[in-house]
């Protein structure tokens, strides 16, 4: 039996949706040569990660083994697959390979972080392959909600793995390549050891719909709009942006793209040949002069992002343009779980203006970019893999996908982030675990999710913050009274006395009666003052704030 093995190790994207990062390795145990598939981000929220800009997978294990890393392959240009490339390339140092459109976006990511753009290599679709140590990797075109998406054909001496990437089985995708079942069947005809497969829509029981079904419905809606219409979708969904723009153009409206991401995506699509045509667009400055009934805005912010164009329009004005009573706003998108609050906030703000809101509750104005359950079954029938490893999904998605695969007679395993799976034999076998988690981009600095910084921020947000200051003289005696400063706490407590006065009195009384042994120890003073302050606040306002104690000694 060979001592070399083929391993699969998700570091992000398995057990969650977002921040995808999947490692494959081949070679002797613990000496495997490695490749990384995708390097993405997920986004923070005020409830669990206030103030955090982006969330990355924890790549500690991979960085410790970067001497074994041969290459990074990016399946497509969504942020949850490419967004972290510029942030981590310096620590990983391997060449990055992607198809032209994705490579253009990856180079932007590198440039934004001051990293060398030339390390991003543009590759063509299958049958071109890239050698990376013991691996040969090819990009197999597949349809998705962003152009030039690809599954990966990963070959090594242990066999062929198909990594599906994000995909749907759309044979009329409007923009980009249609799904080609004959090509996929030909690639898989000599046998596939493992299909590592997108699980996002495993609970959707109807076959997926084509992007081509959306255009006629959108056009009918625009024709019915009496005044200005604005529409939002994912900026990366170039096909949808084009569908919206063409529908608006056919309805006799001038088209204005708003939001940097929207313009960047369309420019990249044109530059790389993904789009051979796009309706003429006008600038926001020129749009101000267009009669409202002849204008259509296509804006960023379908997920309620506070700084995006849709949120700014909802707050009043963006680039000199405003929404008014009788206008229409279309959400041509699905709200990602967790983003509902931001989207509903924007809807209510528009409603207060008298704007008519249209979402996709009836399924007319959006189709998913991910394969539904029948499509997953169809892909298994085409690929005919020996085993199926579910990825790209929450735990419940992975579990349901593994069960589906077992029911269809294929070995499967539920492998969440940090689970190392040996794919060498006839069935997948869990062969180890590595420490995984999240890394936060907090301003300009990366911090660990367990460093306590965000935890302290949440505690201050929930309970307020109190600063207690005391001064001791050369003889370790209190010099004057303790004094306090408060943030995020009410001024009056249950006693109807000012909270600051009650606190300062209790703390000063303690200083006057405490022992000499306590007064000579900064640690003991801090401990006791913190305890008293929290207890007093709990008695007065029913909360125990975060307390910072400052002890100053005269020398």
């Amino acid at each position: 039996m060979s001592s070399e093995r083929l391993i699969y190790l998700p570091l992000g994207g398995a057990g969650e949706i977002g921040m995808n990062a999947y490692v494959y390795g081949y070679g002797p145990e613990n000496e495997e040569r490695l490749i990384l598939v995708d390097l993405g981000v997920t986004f923070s929220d005020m409830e669990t990660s206030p103030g955090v800009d982006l969330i990355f997978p924890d790549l500690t294990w991979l960085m410790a083994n970067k001497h074994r890393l041969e290459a990074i392959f990016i399946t497509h240009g969504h942020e949850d697959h490419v967004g972290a490339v510029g942030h981590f390339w310096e620590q990983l140092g391997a060449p990055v390979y992607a198809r032209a459109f994705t490579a253009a976006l990856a180079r932007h990511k590198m440039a934004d972080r001051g990293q060398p753009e030339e390390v991003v290599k543009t590759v063509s679709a299958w049958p071109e392959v890239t050698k990376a140590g013991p691996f040969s990797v090819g990009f197999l075109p597949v349809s998705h909600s962003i152009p030039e998406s690809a599954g990966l054909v990963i070959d090594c001496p242990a066999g062929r793995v198909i990594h599906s990437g994000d995909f749907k089985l759309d044979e009329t995708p409007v923009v980009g390549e249609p799904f080609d079942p004959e090509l996929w069947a030909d690639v898989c005809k000599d046998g596939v050891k493992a299909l590592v497969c997108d699980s996002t829509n495993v609970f959707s029981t109807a076959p997926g719909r084509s992007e081509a079904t959306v255009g006629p419905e959108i056009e009918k809606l625009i024709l019915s709009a009496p005044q200005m219409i604005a529409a939002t979708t994912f900026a990366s969904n170039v096909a949808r942006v084009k569908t919206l723009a063409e529908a608006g153009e056919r309805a006799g409206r001038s088209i204005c793209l708003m939001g940097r991401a929207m313009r960047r995506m369309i420019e990249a699509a044109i530059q790389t040949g993904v789009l051979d045509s796009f309706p003429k667009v006008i600038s926001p400055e020129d749009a101000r002069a267009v009669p409202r009934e002849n204008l259509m805005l296509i804006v960023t912010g379908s997920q309620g992002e506070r700084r995006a164009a849709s949120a700014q329009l909802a707050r009043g004005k963006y680039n000199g343009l405003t929404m008014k009573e009788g206008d229409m706003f279309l959400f041509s998108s699905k709200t990602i779980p967790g983003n509902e609050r931001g989207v509903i906030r924007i809807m209510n703000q528009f409603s207060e203006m008298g704007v008519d809101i249209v979402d996709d509750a009836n399924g007319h104005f959006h189709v998913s970019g991910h394969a539904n359950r029948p499509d997953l079954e169809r892909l298994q029938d085409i690929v005919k893999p020996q085993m199926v490893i579910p990825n790209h999904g929450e735990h419940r998605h992975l579990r349901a996908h593994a069960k589906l695969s077992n029911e269809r007679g294929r070995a499967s395993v539920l492998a969440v982030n940090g689970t190392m799976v040996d794919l060498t034999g006839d069935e997948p076998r869990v062969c180890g675990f590595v420490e995984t988690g999240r890394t936060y981009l907090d301003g300009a600095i990366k911090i660990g999710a367990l460093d306590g910084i965000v935890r302290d921020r949440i505690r201050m947000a929930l309970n307020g913050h109190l600063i207690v200051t005391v001064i001791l003289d050369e003889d370790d005696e209190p010099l004057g009274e303790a004094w306090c400063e408060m943030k995020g706490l009410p001024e009056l407590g249950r006693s109807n006395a000012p909270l600051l006065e009650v606190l300062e009195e209790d703390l000063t009384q303690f200083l006057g009666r405490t022992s000499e042994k306590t007064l000579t120890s900064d640690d003991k003073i801090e401990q006791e003052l913190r305890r008293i302050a929290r207890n007093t606040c709990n008695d007065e306002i029913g909360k125990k704030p975060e307390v910072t104690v400052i002890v100053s000694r005269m020398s």
Side-chain angles (χ1 to χ4, degrees), residues 50-351:
V52 168
D53 296 270
L54 290 172
I55 303 175
F56 308 124
D58 182 352
L59 300 183
T60 302
W61 181 89
L62 187 60
M63 289 189 287
N65 290 280
K66 70 176 186 177
H67 59 284
R68 296 198 271 147
L69 181 63
E70 300 281 355
I72 301 167
F73 295 90
I74 308 297
T75 59
H76 65 282
H78 277 149
E79 287 292 310
D80 62 330
H81 293 259
V82 71
V85 165
H87 293 274
F88 283 100
W89 181 83
E90 195 169 16
Q91 291 101 311
L92 297 176
V96 179
Y97 296 94
R99 299 183 66 194
F101 179 73
T102 306
L105 300 179
R107 290 187 188 105
H108 278 301
K109 302 291 182 190
M110 296 291 281
D112 288 346
R113 304 300 302 178
Q115 302 299 328
E117 297 178 53
E118 62 272 12
V119 303
V120 179
K121 315 292 184 185
T122 300
V123 294
S124 299
W126 183 267
E128 180 179 318
V129 296
T130 300
K131 295 289 291 181
F135 294 100
S136 293
V137 181
F139 287 76
L140 190 59
V142 71
S143 47
H144 184 41
S145 55
I146 190 171
E148 286 195 348
S149 295
L152 297 181
V153 182
I154 303 172
D155 288 324
C156 72
R160 173 164 286 184
V161 173
I162 300 293
H163 182 101
S164 77
D166 293 6
F167 77 99
K168 64 183 294 187
L169 305 185
D170 190 344
E171 297 181 33
T172 53
V174 179
V175 173
E177 301 121 320
F179 175 67
D180 185 344
E182 287 78 19
L183 173 61
W184 276 69
D186 183 65
V187 167
C188 301
K189 69 179 186 296
D190 293 328
V192 170
K193 174 168 279 294
L195 170 63
V196 181
C197 192
D198 178 5
S199 307
T200 309
N201 282 358
V202 68
F203 294 116
S204 299
T205 56
R209 292 165 49 222
S210 171
E211 181 67 30
T213 64
V214 177
E217 296 291 341
I218 290 175
E219 190 168 347
K220 280 194 289 185
L221 180 72
I222 295 172
L223 286 168
S224 73
Q227 292 180 192
M228 187 172 79
I229 184 167
T232 186
T233 190
F234 297 97
S236 59
N237 194 341
V238 172
R240 184 70 48 76
V241 177
K242 183 180 182 184
T243 294
L244 289 164
E246 289 180 341
E249 185 180 54
R250 285 193 294 270
R253 292 178 181 257
S254 297
I255 308 301
C256 178
L257 299 180
M258 299 182 73
R260 187 178 66 145
M262 192 74 70
R263 295 191 298 273
R264 177 180 278 189
M265 283 289 177
I266 298 303
E267 288 167 2
I270 291 170
Q271 289 167 4
T272 56
V274 166
L275 281 178
D276 54 13
S277 65
F278 193 83
K280 179 185 175 183
V281 298
I282 61 174
S283 68
E285 293 74 23
D286 291 339
R288 295 172 205 159
V290 176
R292 302 184 74 77
E293 65 274 13
N294 295 333
L295 182 62
M296 179 177 182
L297 311 180
I298 304 177
V299 303
T300 55
S302 67
Q303 300 305 300
E305 302 94 326
R306 286 182 174 272
R307 289 178 288 185
S310 60
Q312 296 198 51
L313 283 170
R315 289 195 293 268
K317 181 182 287 189
Y318 184 60
N319 283 352
L321 293 164
T322 58
M323 300 291 288
K324 295 184 178 179
E325 185 170 355
D327 289 344
M328 182 181 289
F329 194 96
L330 167 64
F331 285 86
S332 181
S333 54
K334 175 186 177 182
T335 302
I336 296 171
N339 295 341
E340 296 90 349
R341 188 176 299 174
V343 172
I344 290 170
R345 182 184 64 247
I346 288 173
M347 288 181 172
N348 281 317
Q349 288 172 319
F350 280 135
S351 182

